[in-house]
Amino acid sequence: MAGILAWFWNERFWLPHNVTWADLKNTEEATFPQAEDLYLAFPLAFCIFMVRLIFERFVAKPCAIALNIQANGPQIAPPNAILEKVFTAITKHPDEKRLEGLSKQLDWDVRSIQRWFRQRRNQEKPSTLTRFCESMWRFSFYLYVFTYGVRFLKKTPWLWNTRHCWYNYPYQPLTTDLHYYYILELSFYWSLMFSQFTDIKRKDFGIMFLHHLVSIFLITFSYVNNMARVGTLVLCLHDSADALLEAAKMANYAKFQKMCDLLFLMFAMVFITTRLGIFPLWVLNTTLFESWEIVGPYPSWWVFNLLLLLVQGLNCFWSYLIVKIACKAVSRGKVSKDDRSDIESSSDDEDSEPPGKNPHTATTTNGTSGTNGYLLTGSCSMDD
């Protein structure tokens, strides 16, 4: 075990040439980031999750009720023992051959069976009230942490001149504000990592899991080798658009369509500007070029920059989705449901009652928008 730890904490990997861990030990004159500080993130992540539960129940839920957001979910599929057995034991997405077999067995037309399976899948999805509460929690946290980051960074020299991120590196003392900012962000991402398995599931679950994993690794990595100054720039920049997105989703769930459209437009502008413009030209410029000039490359420097380039790749992916939604909005006149939606929608043809052998046994819509009428047409559900 001692050999493994010695290999993992090899100074030639983590630190610039001629720098040792002993040089970065805390003294009475200066405090530096220590790896053991990161253990604080786990109990704090649990506390954040508990605060979220309290917030959603006693703050977000009353706000949702005041906005007339109901707790009802999608339409319930009518009971059918045969279809339920197929759904739970065999498949939730029957192929054409199985649909035809079920049609003959039940004396239903194929479209009615397709509608039943669609309703049954949607039946397991959360209500609009649940969605609103989740978005309000995230909005509140993102707004707080971004505001804190801006207030902290505006007093630092590296916000105005990024070369200060590397002057006297790695002998840059750790301030109380910087330590709090880093541990808070790391704790929040740990809480998201765990709660992602219980939160609303979306099609990009894998991408979001990768995003949280990269974020946690990047925060941890940059703290250990004291790249925290440039790390704060990355964190604050990536927090800038998140509150606007959650606000747009809340407006959507409350059926304030014009406000949703405006907020989503603001979110798209901030997101694309910060992540495709400012991030590469400002942050990547200092981590790749200014640091090379002032400090020089070493193994963990390469890893850190590769992680940032991976983050930029994710930024490009989400920017593509945002532009796609914006193009649809222009053609439809409002923000449309994005391609990651966790609720399945149906075409106009499928929503109208198809001609079946026994029409009275076919499933019916709820009179709004097909099998998932509770899903608003302006579903701003893009996540960071």
Side-chain angles (χ1 to χ4, degrees):
M1 180 62 68
I4 294 175
L5 289 175
W7 169 82
F8 182 81
W9 292 111
N10 190 307
E11 293 164 338
R12 298 286 61 81
F13 170 81
W14 288 97
L15 302 173
H17 186 61
N18 292 329
V19 179
T20 67
W21 291 120
D23 297 330
L24 298 178
K25 288 294 184 181
N26 292 335
T27 65
E28 294 182 357
E29 291 77 23
T31 300
F32 300 102
Q34 305 296 313
E36 54 267 26
D37 297 344
L38 299 174
Y39 290 128
L40 293 171
F42 294 105
L44 187 55
F46 176 77
C47 292
I48 288 175
F49 182 73
M50 297 306 296
V51 169
R52 170 185 173 172
L53 296 180
I54 296 172
F55 179 90
E56 289 186 354
R57 180 171 181 178
F58 295 105
V59 179
K61 187 175 180 179
C63 290
I65 294 174
L67 292 170
N68 295 319
I69 297 176
Q70 303 300 318
N72 58 298
Q75 182 183 358
I76 304 299
N80 187 291
I82 296 174
L83 296 181
E84 185 67 27
K85 183 177 180 180
V86 173
F87 182 88
T88 56
I90 302 176
T91 179
K92 297 181 180 181
H93 298 271
D95 56 23
E96 185 176 349
K97 183 177 180 180
R98 190 176 298 278
L99 287 171
E100 291 177 355
L102 290 170
S103 177
K104 294 178 181 179
Q105 184 178 359
L106 295 173
D107 198 26
W108 285 23
D109 60 62
V110 172
R111 282 198 173 185
S112 297
I113 297 174
Q114 289 176 323
R115 181 179 292 109
W116 188 95
F117 273 92
R118 186 167 55 248
Q119 288 177 334
R120 184 63 181 83
R121 290 192 295 267
N122 288 340
Q123 188 176 314
E124 299 180 347
K125 304 300 181 179
S127 67
T128 304
L129 179 65
T130 301
R131 293 161 177 267
F132 180 91
C133 291
E134 179 184 315
S135 289
M136 188 170 181
W137 158 250
R138 295 194 181 203
F139 167 79
S140 302
F141 184 89
Y142 288 139
L143 183 62
Y144 167 74
V145 77
F146 175 67
T147 302
Y148 179 87
V150 170
R151 292 181 61 187
F152 162 65
L153 284 171
K154 70 180 183 180
K155 298 179 292 185
T156 64
W158 61 87
L159 176 66
W160 314 105
N161 182 359
T162 53
R163 298 178 70 87
H164 281 278
C165 292
W166 313 108
Y167 291 151
N168 198 36
Y169 176 84
Y171 307 106
Q172 298 167 341
L174 178 70
T175 65
T176 302
D177 288 343
L178 193 154
H179 177 259
Y180 171 76
Y181 189 29
Y182 244 71
I183 297 300
L184 181 64
E185 289 273 15
L186 180 60
S187 303
F188 180 67
Y189 276 107
W190 270 119
S191 71
L192 288 182
M193 175 71 82
F194 297 130
S195 65
Q196 188 180 9
F197 295 94
T198 58
D199 284 344
I200 298 169
K201 299 293 191 300
R202 296 188 173 91
K203 290 181 181 180
D204 68 344
F205 176 88
I207 294 293
M208 289 305 300
F209 184 82
L210 176 63
H211 171 265
H212 297 332
L213 194 63
V214 170
S215 299
I216 288 172
F217 193 70
L218 190 56
I219 294 171
T220 302
F221 195 88
S222 60
Y223 186 86
V224 170
N225 66 0
N226 204 15
M227 289 187 178
R229 288 188 176 185
V230 73
T232 58
L233 300 180
V234 176
L235 289 171
C236 191
L237 195 64
H238 280 73
D239 288 337
S240 59
D242 293 335
L244 287 171
L245 172 61
E246 300 304 331
K249 287 198 274 185
M250 288 192 295
N252 173 65
Y253 300 144
K255 299 183 180 180
F256 300 149
Q257 189 60 51
K258 290 184 178 180
M259 182 181 295
C260 172
D261 293 343
L262 177 60
L263 288 169
F264 183 83
L265 177 62
M266 294 170 61
F267 158 74
M269 293 174 61
V270 172
F271 188 97
I272 293 174
T273 300
T274 55
R275 306 205 184 188
L276 296 189
I278 299 176
F279 181 69
L281 297 177
W282 188 47
V283 175
L284 292 182
N285 174 69
T286 191
T287 60
L288 288 169
F289 303 111
E290 292 179 347
S291 64
W292 183 295
E293 176 187 343
I294 298 172
V295 179
Y298 53 99
S300 69
W301 178 92
W302 289 102
V303 175
F304 182 68
N305 279 284
L306 285 174
L307 288 172
L308 290 179
L309 291 173
L310 179 56
V311 169
Q312 182 61 11
L314 293 173
N315 289 340
C316 293
F317 170 75
W318 281 307
S319 296
Y320 161 75
L321 292 182
I322 292 170
V323 171
K324 194 173 180 180
I325 295 171
C327 290
K328 289 181 181 179
V330 171
S331 60
R332 298 181 184 182
K334 59 182 176 181
V335 176
S336 61
K337 180 177 70 68
D338 79 36
D339 294 328
R340 315 175 320 137
S341 177
D342 49 315
I343 298 295
E344 301 173 66
S345 59
S346 54
S347 66
D348 293 338
D349 290 339
E350 289 175 327
D351 288 339
S352 60
E353 190 62 50
K357 296 179 181 179
N358 287 330
H360 62 279
T361 62
T363 57
T364 59
T365 68
N366 61 7
T368 51
S369 61
T371 60
N372 33 300
Y374 83 101
L375 176 64
L376 304 178
T377 54
S379 178
C380 309
S381 58
M382 282 286 298
D383 275 327
D384 178 35

